[in-house]
Amino acid sequence: MSLLGRLEDLSLTDIIQIVFLSRRTGVLEIVDAKGRHTVLFRQGLVVNASSPDHPDLLVWLQGRGLLPGQAAETLRRMEESGIPFGTAALELNILRKEDLGEAIRSRILDVVSPLLQSREGEFNFILSETMSALDIEYEPDQLFREGGFPPQKILGAAEGEKIKPLQGLEESLKAGKALLRGAASDTAPAKLNLGLGGGDAPAAPAPAPVPETPSAPPPAENVVPFPAREEPQTQFSPVPEDTPLGDVAAAIAGAAPPARDAGQFKVTGGLIEVESPEAAYRNVVLFERNPLIRVAAKRAFGKKNAKIFQFGSIDDVREAIADLFRSTSFFVTFLELTENDQGGEGPSVRLLQQIKRKNPRLPVVVIDIEADLRRRHHLLSLGADLYLTRPAPARLQPGMAEEELTLFADELVLFAERAFAQWRQMIGGYGPEAGKKFYELAQKDSLDRSFTVLKQLINELSNPDDIGQVSATILRMSAEYLDRGALFMVADDAFVGLGGFGLTGGGEEMDARIRRVRIARDAPSILGDVAAAREVHRGKMRKTPANVQLIESMGGMLPTEVVAMPIMHGDKTIGILYGDNAENRGPIDGTTGLEIFLSQAGYAFGKAVQARLMSAGR
């Protein structure tokens, strides 16, 4: 969850301490008239900073005359080979550890000091699970005992002294967290003492005890160790790790934690606004890496009483959308096209297809860097509801950026408002039941579409003796339902790969990989289980050498759920379609149409298999 807004609402001093007390790792971006400034945090400690005048550590060291002779060229080459500037400088004895540490602190102060008193600019804190030494430009643990700089070493306070105006913040945060857990449900909330003067605040109520959660049993030895979906881990040092930064900012502003009933609070740029019940059902998801656009969108949708989930990482977008799917929520998605999408098959394009596959009635807008009519045609054919281009960089210069960003954000809001109005008219109102009804209608649409496609594809099978044509038809239909899949022919002694689709994690494409796969019939595998049972398998699969071989042959990406469907000819299993969720690890559901198609395609597939076996002299 991001913390974003304007410096006029929340100062850099406050932000640094919020991140420190919540022990977060990530990048704080501040964009003002001078350009983009960043402050890097690792577990709450400041570890580096940059500005337009100090773009990287090497340039800063050069500017201060701290590098002798040709050292800069050497360090630049080492950085290109994967060794951070600071680490290389120490290894080559170009700088002493003490000198490098002081240089890094001086650089951070040079970047941060002008911003501490500034009230101009937009900020956005982007969370990250980890931060590598290359990102930081040196090894913090190698250089500093604490692993970075706490606020007092950056903001100028004495050791151990609280930085004003946030004295007493830790106690206030504990009180707020206690309210979140319901510990203060029968008592008046404690007054938050932020050290701003006035009387003493009453003591904060003690947090409710957290019941111990029994440890999960170790995974069975015969189950493939699929990665579990990551859940936030609660830690208390000093603020629980799962505390949203928005709740931290709410505590600073003196507000109670967000209520979950009618009329709840939300935080915008450090300010508290009342959120109506309707906002819980007016959801917007934005994938956009430009922090200026994110800030403008946040402000525009906030005025229209819509709840916006915005991210600079496509993986975070997938997780948010999976949660919205699970809660049968209506939402509008805006997806920035990345460099990998320019060819038409990048992560944003695949996410568009996944959303439309799950519920084709959910609106999706794609945002391109520059207009491309061919790309527009391709994206609209994949189901995109609108194709937009972001403001050109030349228009985002000081003096005109504010107007350009506002106009662009208003265009996003206009589309979303129309979508919300259409949804409400279609379903008849807001609420959980409306969401369920919306997804039921989408499921009915999917079944109707499956029958239509089924008729078309069966008509395409003009020559059922051609195993290649039949396989391609089945795989094309399967791609409407699954992220990735593989089709196998059941021979007497082996399961023979006929083709596949989806991500492999790099290297050779899936179709070519699967065509080389042969899994012995007598080897325990999910294919053998489905062939014997003649029933669909959904869920996990046993850890056997053959199953491991199957996953590795598809590129090694581990799913959290798999599905395997038999293709029957009479009472005999003649083929198996395997699919999984390795790309986005969301639940696999809504495959009824695919199962119906496979049951009807069995005759054509059977004839094609028989023709192939006969041509091979079997």
Side-chain angles (χ1 to χ4, degrees):
M1 179 176 185
S2 294
L3 177 68
L4 75 165
R6 292 172 173 265
L7 287 179
E8 64 184 5
D9 299 323
L10 200 63
S11 70
L12 180 57
T13 300
D14 295 345
I15 298 169
I16 288 176
Q17 291 185 87
I18 290 169
V19 178
F20 172 69
L21 290 171
S22 55
R23 296 296 190 263
R24 299 293 179 156
T25 296
V27 180
L28 174 67
E29 293 181 336
I30 299 173
V31 181
D32 60 15
K34 295 181 179 179
R36 178 176 177 268
H37 313 259
T38 64
V39 182
L40 276 65
F41 294 84
R42 195 182 68 145
Q43 298 177 358
L45 299 173
V46 179
V47 291
N48 210 340
S50 69
S51 70
D53 296 330
H54 311 293
D56 62 35
L57 180 60
L58 184 58
V59 172
W60 193 90
L61 292 173
Q62 278 184 290
R64 295 303 181 277
L66 298 176
L67 297 179
Q70 302 298 315
E73 293 182 13
T74 302
L75 294 180
R76 184 72 69 183
R77 287 197 299 270
M78 295 189 72
E79 193 271 343
E80 291 173 355
S81 65
I83 302 176
F85 296 132
T87 304
L90 294 179
E91 291 181 354
L92 297 175
N93 295 318
I94 295 174
L95 289 174
R96 296 185 305 163
K97 183 183 296 187
E98 297 79 8
D99 295 336
L100 179 60
E102 182 56 33
I104 290 171
R105 180 174 181 273
S106 297
R107 181 190 180 207
I108 293 172
L109 290 175
D110 278 0
V111 173
V112 168
S113 296
L115 300 171
L116 292 176
Q117 305 302 320
S118 174
R119 291 297 178 267
E120 300 295 329
E122 314 276 1
F123 67 82
N124 182 26
F125 183 81
I126 304 169
L127 284 173
S128 175
E129 292 184 5
T130 60
M131 190 169 292
S132 69
L134 274 175
D135 295 327
I136 301 173
E137 300 183 305
Y138 67 96
E139 294 278 1
D141 295 325
Q142 180 184 6
L143 212 56
F144 304 114
R145 180 171 57 86
E146 294 176 313
F149 299 102
Q152 59 266 21
K153 291 188 178 180
I154 299 299
L155 304 179
E159 186 73 25
E161 179 184 339
K162 301 286 184 190
I163 308 295
K164 293 182 179 182
L166 299 184
Q167 291 176 337
L169 176 60
E170 293 184 26
E171 289 74 15
S172 301
L173 291 173
K174 291 176 183 177
K177 197 61 181 178
L179 290 175
L180 273 178
R181 295 197 184 94
S185 57
D186 298 325
T187 60
K191 180 180 178 183
L192 301 182
N193 178 13
L194 302 182
L196 300 176
D200 293 336
V210 180
E212 293 186 5
T213 303
S215 59
E221 287 298 320
N222 64 337
V223 177
V224 175
F226 295 121
R229 295 187 182 90
E230 296 181 0
E231 302 292 343
Q233 300 297 318
T234 303
Q235 301 175 4
F236 301 90
S237 57
V239 180
E241 186 68 22
D242 63 350
T243 304
L245 289 177
D247 291 344
V248 178
I252 292 174
R260 298 306 176 197
D261 52 6
Q264 62 184 14
F265 289 101
K266 65 177 181 178
V267 178
T268 303
L271 302 178
I272 306 302
E273 300 175 0
V274 176
E275 182 179 277
S276 75
E278 287 186 357
Y281 306 105
R282 293 163 54 84
N283 300 296
V284 174
V285 178
L286 171 64
F287 167 54
E288 173 57 63
R289 293 169 296 176
N290 188 319
L292 287 174
I293 294 178
R294 289 201 300 268
V295 170
K298 180 77 171 181
R299 189 182 307 128
F301 280 106
K303 293 176 182 178
K304 293 296 184 178
N305 199 26
K307 183 160 51 176
I308 181 169
F309 305 86
Q310 53 182 0
F311 308 94
S313 162
I314 195 72
D315 292 332
D316 293 336
V317 178
R318 288 195 190 99
E319 291 181 11
I321 288 177
D323 290 338
L324 291 167
F325 279 149
R326 282 190 285 270
S327 60
T328 60
S329 298
F330 179 84
F331 57 97
V332 181
T333 306
F334 298 92
L335 295 175
E336 176 198 8
L337 295 181
T338 68
E339 293 77 7
N340 293 331
D341 287 296
Q342 304 309 308
E345 297 299 333
S348 294
V349 174
R350 288 194 296 271
L351 185 54
L352 160 67
Q353 293 174 295
Q354 290 161 11
I355 294 171
K356 291 297 184 178
R357 188 163 59 229
K358 176 74 175 182
N359 190 331
R361 294 185 179 224
L362 288 170
V364 181
V365 178
V366 291
I367 302 173
D368 208 344
I369 299 174
E370 59 184 7
D372 185 305
L373 293 180
R374 289 182 179 275
R375 198 153 54 236
R376 175 183 180 274
H377 177 76
H378 176 64
L379 292 165
L380 293 178
S381 70
L382 293 178
D385 296 272
L386 185 65
Y387 175 88
L388 294 177
T389 54
R390 63 154 66 156
R395 303 290 298 174
L396 296 181
Q397 301 301 318
M400 63 176 70
E402 184 76 16
E403 181 181 2
E404 287 290 326
L405 291 168
T406 300
L407 290 173
F408 183 71
D410 287 345
E411 193 169 359
L412 304 186
V413 169
L414 180 61
F415 176 85
E417 286 295 312
R418 288 174 178 168
F420 291 139
Q422 291 171 358
W423 174 55
R424 188 168 187 174
Q425 183 178 10
M426 179 195 312
I427 304 300
Y430 293 120
E433 293 305 316
K436 292 178 182 177
K437 182 179 178 181
F438 175 74
Y439 276 76
E440 288 171 359
L441 288 175
Q443 187 174 22
K444 181 178 181 299
D445 288 345
S446 179
L447 281 175
D448 293 342
R449 183 170 57 90
S450 296
F451 282 116
T452 301
V453 174
L454 172 62
K455 293 176 182 178
Q456 294 174 346
L457 295 183
I458 288 179
N459 289 335
E460 290 181 14
L461 299 180
S462 57
N463 181 12
D465 291 343
D466 185 350
I467 189 68
Q469 182 190 23
V470 177
S471 299
T473 301
I474 292 174
L475 289 171
R476 188 161 74 253
M477 181 66 174
S478 303
E480 295 282 327
Y481 293 85
L482 302 169
D483 290 344
R484 68 175 193 171
L487 180 63
F488 294 90
M489 178 183 72
V490 180
D492 292 338
D493 59 346
F495 299 99
V496 181
L498 299 177
F501 59 89
L503 283 184
T504 64
E508 195 173 21
E509 292 186 356
M510 184 69 75
D511 195 64
R513 287 172 177 266
I514 296 301
R515 289 175 185 274
R516 294 198 303 270
V517 176
R518 291 181 65 92
I519 295 178
R521 283 288 301 267
D522 56 359
S525 69
I526 188 173
L527 304 181
D529 294 342
V530 171
R534 294 178 289 181
E535 294 179 353
V536 175
H537 171 93
R538 187 187 303 274
K540 305 292 184 183
M541 66 180 179
R542 294 179 300 144
K543 182 180 179 181
T544 67
N547 286 339
V548 171
Q549 175 193 349
L550 173 61
I551 294 297
E552 290 179 347
S553 67
M554 299 181 76
M557 295 172 60
L558 290 177
T560 58
E561 187 178 349
V562 304
V563 63
M565 305 176 185
I567 301 175
M568 306 297 297
H569 186 61
D571 60 352
K572 183 179 180 182
T573 305
I574 56 173
I576 296 174
L577 176 69
Y578 168 90
D580 62 34
N581 67 346
E583 181 174 352
N584 67 3
R585 295 177 183 171
I588 299 175
D589 51 15
T591 59
T592 304
L594 179 57
E595 294 175 38
I596 293 173
F597 170 75
L598 292 179
S599 68
Q600 297 299 312
Y603 171 76
F605 189 78
K607 287 200 67 177
V609 169
Q610 185 177 18
R612 172 164 172 164
L613 294 177
M614 290 179 61
S615 65
R618 304 297 295 269

Short mmCIF file of all heavy atoms in Angstrom, two decimals, residues 450-492:
data_model
loop_
_atom_site.label_atom_id
_atom_site.label_comp_id
_atom_site.label_asym_id
_atom_site.label_seq_id
_atom_site.Cartn_x
_atom_site.Cartn_y
_atom_site.Cartn_z
N SER A 450 -19.06 -20.12 -24.99
CA SER A 450 -18.38 -21.40 -25.18
C SER A 450 -19.13 -22.27 -26.19
O SER A 450 -18.52 -22.93 -27.04
CB SER A 450 -18.26 -22.14 -23.84
OG SER A 450 -17.44 -21.41 -22.96
N PHE A 451 -20.46 -22.28 -26.10
CA PHE A 451 -21.24 -23.08 -27.06
C PHE A 451 -21.08 -22.54 -28.47
O PHE A 451 -20.97 -23.30 -29.43
CB PHE A 451 -22.71 -23.10 -26.66
CG PHE A 451 -23.02 -24.03 -25.53
CD1 PHE A 451 -23.48 -23.56 -24.32
CD2 PHE A 451 -22.83 -25.40 -25.66
CE1 PHE A 451 -23.75 -24.40 -23.27
CE2 PHE A 451 -23.10 -26.27 -24.62
CZ PHE A 451 -23.57 -25.78 -23.41
N THR A 452 -21.04 -21.20 -28.59
CA THR A 452 -20.87 -20.60 -29.92
C THR A 452 -19.51 -20.95 -30.50
O THR A 452 -19.39 -21.35 -31.67
CB THR A 452 -21.02 -19.07 -29.83
OG1 THR A 452 -22.30 -18.76 -29.31
CG2 THR A 452 -20.84 -18.43 -31.19
N VAL A 453 -18.46 -20.80 -29.65
CA VAL A 453 -17.11 -21.13 -30.10
C VAL A 453 -17.00 -22.61 -30.41
O VAL A 453 -16.32 -23.03 -31.36
CB VAL A 453 -16.08 -20.70 -29.04
CG1 VAL A 453 -14.68 -21.16 -29.43
CG2 VAL A 453 -16.10 -19.19 -28.86
N LEU A 454 -17.68 -23.42 -29.60
CA LEU A 454 -17.64 -24.87 -29.80
C LEU A 454 -18.14 -25.23 -31.20
O LEU A 454 -17.50 -25.99 -31.93
CB LEU A 454 -18.50 -25.56 -28.73
CG LEU A 454 -18.73 -27.06 -28.90
CD1 LEU A 454 -17.42 -27.81 -28.83
CD2 LEU A 454 -19.70 -27.57 -27.83
N LYS A 455 -19.27 -24.64 -31.59
CA LYS A 455 -19.81 -24.93 -32.92
C LYS A 455 -18.84 -24.49 -34.02
O LYS A 455 -18.61 -25.22 -34.99
CB LYS A 455 -21.15 -24.21 -33.10
CG LYS A 455 -22.25 -24.72 -32.20
CD LYS A 455 -23.52 -23.90 -32.37
CE LYS A 455 -24.61 -24.37 -31.43
NZ LYS A 455 -25.85 -23.54 -31.54
N GLN A 456 -18.25 -23.31 -33.83
CA GLN A 456 -17.32 -22.81 -34.83
C GLN A 456 -16.09 -23.71 -34.96
O GLN A 456 -15.64 -24.03 -36.06
CB GLN A 456 -16.88 -21.39 -34.47
CG GLN A 456 -18.00 -20.37 -34.54
CD GLN A 456 -17.56 -19.01 -34.05
OE1 GLN A 456 -16.52 -18.87 -33.42
NE2 GLN A 456 -18.37 -17.99 -34.30
N LEU A 457 -15.54 -24.12 -33.82
CA LEU A 457 -14.31 -24.90 -33.85
C LEU A 457 -14.56 -26.31 -34.38
O LEU A 457 -13.72 -26.88 -35.08
CB LEU A 457 -13.69 -24.95 -32.45
CG LEU A 457 -13.20 -23.61 -31.90
CD1 LEU A 457 -12.55 -23.80 -30.54
CD2 LEU A 457 -12.21 -22.96 -32.86
N ILE A 458 -15.71 -26.88 -34.04
CA ILE A 458 -16.00 -28.22 -34.57
C ILE A 458 -16.16 -28.17 -36.09
O ILE A 458 -15.73 -29.07 -36.82
CB ILE A 458 -17.27 -28.79 -33.90
CG1 ILE A 458 -16.97 -29.15 -32.44
CG2 ILE A 458 -17.79 -30.00 -34.65
CD1 ILE A 458 -18.15 -29.69 -31.68
N ASN A 459 -16.75 -27.08 -36.58
CA ASN A 459 -16.87 -26.91 -38.03
C ASN A 459 -15.51 -26.77 -38.69
O ASN A 459 -15.35 -27.08 -39.87
CB ASN A 459 -17.74 -25.69 -38.35
CG ASN A 459 -19.20 -25.92 -38.00
OD1 ASN A 459 -19.66 -27.05 -37.96
ND2 ASN A 459 -19.92 -24.83 -37.74
N GLU A 460 -14.52 -26.26 -37.93
CA GLU A 460 -13.18 -26.10 -38.49
C GLU A 460 -12.47 -27.44 -38.70
O GLU A 460 -11.50 -27.53 -39.44
CB GLU A 460 -12.32 -25.22 -37.58
CG GLU A 460 -12.73 -23.75 -37.57
CD GLU A 460 -11.84 -22.94 -36.66
OE1 GLU A 460 -10.77 -23.46 -36.26
OE2 GLU A 460 -12.19 -21.80 -36.34
N LEU A 461 -12.94 -28.47 -38.00
CA LEU A 461 -12.25 -29.76 -38.07
C LEU A 461 -12.67 -30.49 -39.35
O LEU A 461 -13.33 -31.52 -39.35
CB LEU A 461 -12.60 -30.61 -36.83
CG LEU A 461 -12.20 -29.99 -35.49
CD1 LEU A 461 -12.59 -30.90 -34.33
CD2 LEU A 461 -10.70 -29.74 -35.46
N SER A 462 -12.26 -29.90 -40.45
CA SER A 462 -12.64 -30.46 -41.75
C SER A 462 -11.94 -31.78 -42.02
O SER A 462 -12.42 -32.61 -42.78
CB SER A 462 -12.32 -29.45 -42.87
OG SER A 462 -10.94 -29.10 -42.82
N ASN A 463 -10.78 -31.97 -41.43
CA ASN A 463 -10.03 -33.20 -41.63
C ASN A 463 -9.62 -33.75 -40.27
O ASN A 463 -8.52 -33.49 -39.78
CB ASN A 463 -8.79 -32.93 -42.49
CG ASN A 463 -8.00 -34.21 -42.75
OD1 ASN A 463 -8.49 -35.31 -42.47
ND2 ASN A 463 -6.79 -34.07 -43.25
N PRO A 464 -10.50 -34.51 -39.61
CA PRO A 464 -10.19 -35.00 -38.26
C PRO A 464 -9.03 -35.98 -38.21
O PRO A 464 -8.61 -36.37 -37.13
CB PRO A 464 -11.51 -35.67 -37.82
CG PRO A 464 -12.22 -35.98 -39.09
CD PRO A 464 -11.82 -34.92 -40.07
N ASP A 465 -8.52 -36.41 -39.38
CA ASP A 465 -7.36 -37.29 -39.35
C ASP A 465 -6.06 -36.50 -39.13
O ASP A 465 -5.01 -37.09 -38.89
CB ASP A 465 -7.25 -38.06 -40.68
CG ASP A 465 -8.36 -39.09 -40.83
OD1 ASP A 465 -8.98 -39.42 -39.79
OD2 ASP A 465 -8.61 -39.53 -41.96
N ASP A 466 -6.12 -35.19 -39.22
CA ASP A 466 -4.93 -34.34 -39.03
C ASP A 466 -4.78 -34.01 -37.56
O ASP A 466 -5.49 -33.15 -37.03
CB ASP A 466 -5.07 -33.07 -39.87
CG ASP A 466 -3.82 -32.20 -39.82
OD1 ASP A 466 -2.93 -32.49 -38.97
OD2 ASP A 466 -3.74 -31.23 -40.58
N ILE A 467 -3.88 -34.71 -36.87
CA ILE A 467 -3.72 -34.51 -35.43
C ILE A 467 -3.24 -33.09 -35.12
O ILE A 467 -3.59 -32.51 -34.09
CB ILE A 467 -2.72 -35.56 -34.85
CG1 ILE A 467 -2.70 -35.51 -33.31
CG2 ILE A 467 -1.32 -35.33 -35.41
CD1 ILE A 467 -3.94 -35.97 -32.66
N GLY A 468 -2.47 -32.52 -36.03
CA GLY A 468 -1.99 -31.15 -35.83
C GLY A 468 -3.12 -30.15 -35.80
O GLY A 468 -3.17 -29.25 -34.96
N GLN A 469 -4.07 -30.30 -36.74
CA GLN A 469 -5.20 -29.37 -36.82
C GLN A 469 -6.10 -29.53 -35.59
O GLN A 469 -6.54 -28.54 -34.99
CB GLN A 469 -6.01 -29.62 -38.09
CG GLN A 469 -7.18 -28.65 -38.25
CD GLN A 469 -8.10 -29.05 -39.38
OE1 GLN A 469 -8.14 -30.22 -39.76
NE2 GLN A 469 -8.87 -28.09 -39.89
N VAL A 470 -6.39 -30.76 -35.21
CA VAL A 470 -7.26 -31.00 -34.06
C VAL A 470 -6.60 -30.47 -32.78
O VAL A 470 -7.25 -29.83 -31.95
CB VAL A 470 -7.56 -32.51 -33.93
CG1 VAL A 470 -8.41 -32.76 -32.69
CG2 VAL A 470 -8.28 -33.02 -35.17
N SER A 471 -5.31 -30.72 -32.62
CA SER A 471 -4.59 -30.25 -31.43
C SER A 471 -4.60 -28.74 -31.35
O SER A 471 -4.83 -28.15 -30.28
CB SER A 471 -3.15 -30.76 -31.43
OG SER A 471 -3.10 -32.16 -31.42
N ALA A 472 -4.35 -28.08 -32.49
CA ALA A 472 -4.33 -26.62 -32.50
C ALA A 472 -5.69 -26.05 -32.11
O ALA A 472 -5.79 -25.04 -31.40
CB ALA A 472 -3.91 -26.11 -33.88
N THR A 473 -6.76 -26.71 -32.57
CA THR A 473 -8.11 -26.25 -32.24
C THR A 473 -8.38 -26.38 -30.74
O THR A 473 -8.92 -25.47 -30.11
CB THR A 473 -9.14 -27.06 -33.03
OG1 THR A 473 -8.90 -26.90 -34.43
CG2 THR A 473 -10.55 -26.60 -32.71
N ILE A 474 -7.98 -27.51 -30.17
CA ILE A 474 -8.19 -27.73 -28.73
C ILE A 474 -7.38 -26.74 -27.91
O ILE A 474 -7.87 -26.16 -26.93
CB ILE A 474 -7.83 -29.19 -28.37
CG1 ILE A 474 -8.83 -30.15 -28.99
CG2 ILE A 474 -7.79 -29.36 -26.85
CD1 ILE A 474 -8.49 -31.61 -28.80
N LEU A 475 -6.14 -26.52 -28.30
CA LEU A 475 -5.29 -25.59 -27.55
C LEU A 475 -5.81 -24.16 -27.66
O LEU A 475 -5.75 -23.39 -26.69
CB LEU A 475 -3.85 -25.67 -28.06
CG LEU A 475 -3.11 -26.97 -27.70
CD1 LEU A 475 -1.78 -27.04 -28.44
CD2 LEU A 475 -2.89 -27.07 -26.19
N ARG A 476 -6.33 -23.79 -28.83
CA ARG A 476 -6.85 -22.44 -28.99
C ARG A 476 -8.07 -22.24 -28.09
O ARG A 476 -8.25 -21.19 -27.47
CB ARG A 476 -7.22 -22.19 -30.45
CG ARG A 476 -7.59 -20.74 -30.72
CD ARG A 476 -7.50 -20.39 -32.20
NE ARG A 476 -8.58 -20.95 -32.98
CZ ARG A 476 -8.46 -21.97 -33.82
NH1 ARG A 476 -7.28 -22.55 -33.99
NH2 ARG A 476 -9.48 -22.41 -34.52
N MET A 477 -8.91 -23.23 -27.99
CA MET A 477 -10.07 -23.14 -27.09
C MET A 477 -9.62 -23.13 -25.64
O MET A 477 -10.15 -22.37 -24.81
CB MET A 477 -10.99 -24.35 -27.34
CG MET A 477 -12.23 -24.35 -26.47
SD MET A 477 -13.33 -22.98 -26.88
CE MET A 477 -14.74 -23.40 -25.84
N SER A 478 -8.61 -23.91 -25.30
CA SER A 478 -8.14 -24.00 -23.91
C SER A 478 -7.55 -22.68 -23.44
O SER A 478 -7.66 -22.30 -22.27
CB SER A 478 -7.08 -25.10 -23.78
OG SER A 478 -7.60 -26.34 -24.22
N ALA A 479 -6.91 -21.95 -24.36
CA ALA A 479 -6.31 -20.67 -24.00
C ALA A 479 -7.34 -19.63 -23.61
O ALA A 479 -7.01 -18.62 -23.00
CB ALA A 479 -5.46 -20.14 -25.17
N GLU A 480 -8.63 -19.88 -23.92
CA GLU A 480 -9.70 -18.99 -23.49
C GLU A 480 -9.98 -19.15 -22.00
O GLU A 480 -10.62 -18.29 -21.39
CB GLU A 480 -10.98 -19.30 -24.27
CG GLU A 480 -10.90 -19.03 -25.76
CD GLU A 480 -11.03 -17.56 -26.07
OE1 GLU A 480 -11.75 -16.87 -25.35
OE2 GLU A 480 -10.39 -17.11 -27.04
N TYR A 481 -9.50 -20.25 -21.40
CA TYR A 481 -9.84 -20.54 -20.01
C TYR A 481 -8.63 -20.63 -19.08
O TYR A 481 -8.77 -20.43 -17.88
CB TYR A 481 -10.59 -21.89 -19.94
CG TYR A 481 -11.95 -21.87 -20.58
CD1 TYR A 481 -12.09 -22.08 -21.95
CD2 TYR A 481 -13.09 -21.63 -19.82
CE1 TYR A 481 -13.35 -22.06 -22.54
CE2 TYR A 481 -14.35 -21.62 -20.41
CZ TYR A 481 -14.47 -21.83 -21.76
OH TYR A 481 -15.71 -21.79 -22.35
N LEU A 482 -7.47 -20.97 -19.61
CA LEU A 482 -6.31 -21.25 -18.78
C LEU A 482 -5.15 -20.32 -19.10
O LEU A 482 -5.01 -19.87 -20.24
CB LEU A 482 -5.85 -22.71 -18.98
CG LEU A 482 -6.88 -23.80 -18.69
CD1 LEU A 482 -6.38 -25.15 -19.19
CD2 LEU A 482 -7.19 -23.87 -17.19
N ASP A 483 -4.31 -20.03 -18.08
CA ASP A 483 -3.12 -19.21 -18.30
C ASP A 483 -2.11 -19.93 -19.17
O ASP A 483 -1.48 -19.34 -20.05
CB ASP A 483 -2.46 -18.88 -16.95
CG ASP A 483 -3.29 -17.90 -16.15
OD1 ASP A 483 -4.19 -17.28 -16.73
OD2 ASP A 483 -3.05 -17.78 -14.93
N ARG A 484 -1.91 -21.19 -18.89
CA ARG A 484 -1.00 -21.98 -19.71
C ARG A 484 -1.47 -23.42 -19.67
O ARG A 484 -2.14 -23.87 -18.71
CB ARG A 484 0.44 -21.86 -19.23
CG ARG A 484 0.77 -22.48 -17.89
CD ARG A 484 2.26 -22.39 -17.62
NE ARG A 484 2.64 -23.24 -16.49
CZ ARG A 484 3.89 -23.49 -16.15
NH1 ARG A 484 4.90 -22.97 -16.84
NH2 ARG A 484 4.17 -24.27 -15.13
N GLY A 485 -1.14 -24.18 -20.73
CA GLY A 485 -1.62 -25.55 -20.80
C GLY A 485 -0.78 -26.39 -21.73
O GLY A 485 0.07 -25.89 -22.48
N ALA A 486 -1.03 -27.70 -21.67
CA ALA A 486 -0.31 -28.66 -22.51
C ALA A 486 -1.26 -29.80 -22.87
O ALA A 486 -2.04 -30.25 -22.02
CB ALA A 486 0.92 -29.19 -21.78
N LEU A 487 -1.17 -30.24 -24.10
CA LEU A 487 -2.04 -31.31 -24.59
C LEU A 487 -1.21 -32.56 -24.83
O LEU A 487 -0.15 -32.49 -25.45
CB LEU A 487 -2.73 -30.87 -25.88
CG LEU A 487 -3.68 -31.89 -26.53
CD1 LEU A 487 -4.86 -32.19 -25.62
CD2 LEU A 487 -4.17 -31.36 -27.89
N PHE A 488 -1.73 -33.71 -24.33
CA PHE A 488 -1.01 -34.98 -24.45
C PHE A 488 -1.90 -36.03 -25.10
O PHE A 488 -3.11 -36.10 -24.85
CB PHE A 488 -0.57 -35.49 -23.07
CG PHE A 488 0.45 -34.62 -22.41
CD1 PHE A 488 0.06 -33.56 -21.60
CD2 PHE A 488 1.80 -34.83 -22.61
CE1 PHE A 488 1.00 -32.75 -20.98
CE2 PHE A 488 2.75 -34.03 -22.00
CZ PHE A 488 2.35 -32.98 -21.19
N MET A 489 -1.27 -36.83 -25.96
CA MET A 489 -1.92 -38.00 -26.54
C MET A 489 -1.59 -39.21 -25.68
O MET A 489 -0.44 -39.36 -25.23
CB MET A 489 -1.41 -38.20 -27.96
CG MET A 489 -1.97 -39.42 -28.67
SD MET A 489 -1.23 -39.64 -30.33
CE MET A 489 0.43 -40.17 -29.89
N VAL A 490 -2.58 -40.04 -25.44
CA VAL A 490 -2.36 -41.24 -24.63
C VAL A 490 -2.00 -42.40 -25.57
O VAL A 490 -2.87 -42.92 -26.30
CB VAL A 490 -3.61 -41.58 -23.80
CG1 VAL A 490 -3.35 -42.84 -22.97
CG2 VAL A 490 -3.99 -40.41 -22.91
N ALA A 491 -0.75 -42.78 -25.58
CA ALA A 491 -0.30 -43.93 -26.36
C ALA A 491 -0.21 -45.15 -25.43
O ALA A 491 -0.48 -45.06 -24.23
CB ALA A 491 1.06 -43.64 -27.00
N ASP A 492 0.16 -46.30 -25.99
CA ASP A 492 0.19 -47.52 -25.19
C ASP A 492 1.22 -47.46 -24.08
O ASP A 492 0.99 -47.96 -22.98
CB ASP A 492 0.48 -48.74 -26.09
CG ASP A 492 -0.66 -49.03 -27.03
OD1 ASP A 492 -1.80 -48.60 -26.73
OD2 ASP A 492 -0.42 -49.66 -28.07
#
